[in-house]
Amino acid sequence: MFAMLPLSMIGCFDLGEFVAGATEETFVAGTVLGLSASENMNLVGTRYEEGSRAAAYLGNLNGEAVDGAMGVLSDSNGSHPLESVGDGGWISGGLTYTPGEIYSLLRDGEVVLSAEAAPAVELDVEPTHTAGAPLTIDIRDQEFALLLVTVLDLEEGVELWDNVPDDLAHASESEEEDPLLVEIPGEAFPADARLALGVAGLRLNDPADAYDVNTLVSTLATGLLVLHSVETSD
């Protein structure tokens, strides 16, 4: 239900504050995922049709949901409420995502977790790809914590393959041995298809930017999912 922050992120944190924050029973897990896509891409029916979005989970260390109205705060969006989906989950679409801007999760109007919005992955994507051939995405040379990838059929408006969790709030909880290396199977590239290849690198919050929640397990991930047009050929 929750993931501990990497030890490498704790070094910049005041030890006294960290210990105090680590005793908090309540924690927050959240993701702010921006979307960059051309206007001619058919995203209706996919999880991306509402554009950039945020998701959060508010619970305790016993795995129980905790009460509290959640929202997201940024200069671009102001204070934007999230909609409850039950069991501690909160979501919202239609946000504006600006790399470098500070995004904060709110509980009952108060900031509990903040993070700087991550930039787009630097990636050259070929406009054509051989049908049935796998494709490897490797961003291990870039400063991200996780890699999210999706393949969409733009004519049918369906997702063919992805590693994006259904519960976006917990996107930071990857169990992959190498979270910055993804191999897309050849089945995701059918013949004569017009596709969108989406790639996002996620960065995590600094634990110093957590307030009145458990600093050890609370995480806010940010990333910009860029959709690249790809057509398959024999």
Side-chain angles (χ1 to χ4, degrees), residues 24-145:
E24 290 281 350
E25 287 293 318
T26 301
F27 78 95
V28 175
T31 302
V32 178
L33 186 65
L35 182 71
S36 176
S38 62
E39 293 183 357
N40 64 345
M41 289 184 174
N42 175 25
L43 302 179
V44 176
T46 74
R47 68 174 89 183
Y48 306 106
E49 65 178 311
E50 293 187 8
S52 301
R53 58 204 174 108
Y57 173 82
L58 179 63
N60 62 32
L61 299 184
N62 294 321
E64 302 165 330
V66 172
D67 292 336
M70 297 295 293
V72 62
L73 173 69
S74 69
D75 288 341
S76 296
N77 300 284
S79 178
H80 189 93
L82 302 184
E83 178 183 352
S84 175
V85 293
D87 296 325
W90 299 79
I91 60 173
S92 181
L95 300 178
T96 298
Y97 184 93
T98 305
E101 192 168 294
I102 301 300
Y103 287 75
S104 299
L105 291 180
L106 307 175
R107 179 190 182 190
D108 295 331
E110 299 294 329
V111 173
V112 291
L113 201 55
S114 298
E116 181 178 316
V121 167
E122 295 180 6
L123 186 68
D124 292 325
V125 176
E126 296 294 332
T128 59
H129 183 74
T130 302
L135 178 64
T136 299
I137 307 295
D138 185 352
I139 63 168
R140 288 176 292 183
D141 61 342
Q142 300 184 45
E143 295 182 358
F144 294 100

Side-chain angles (χ1 to χ4, degrees), residues 150-232:
T150 186
V151 180
L152 309 175
D153 185 322
L154 292 177
E155 296 180 344
E156 299 295 330
V158 297
E159 297 174 59
L160 299 177
W161 184 90
D162 69 51
N163 72 340
V164 181
D166 292 334
D167 186 353
L168 186 63
H170 297 281
S172 63
E173 298 178 17
S174 172
E175 297 180 354
E176 295 296 327
E177 182 177 344
D178 195 336
L180 298 179
L181 178 68
V182 170
E183 180 168 307
I184 308 169
E187 292 79 5
F189 300 99
D192 301 319
R194 190 169 67 89
L195 310 173
L197 171 63
V199 178
L202 299 186
R203 291 181 179 172
L204 306 181
N205 65 286
D206 186 315
D209 295 324
Y211 312 97
D212 298 322
V213 290
N214 190 291
T215 53
L216 187 60
V217 299
S218 293
T219 56
L220 176 56
T222 64
L224 178 58
L225 186 75
V226 179
L227 297 182
H228 305 267
S229 294
V230 175
E231 293 185 1
T232 57

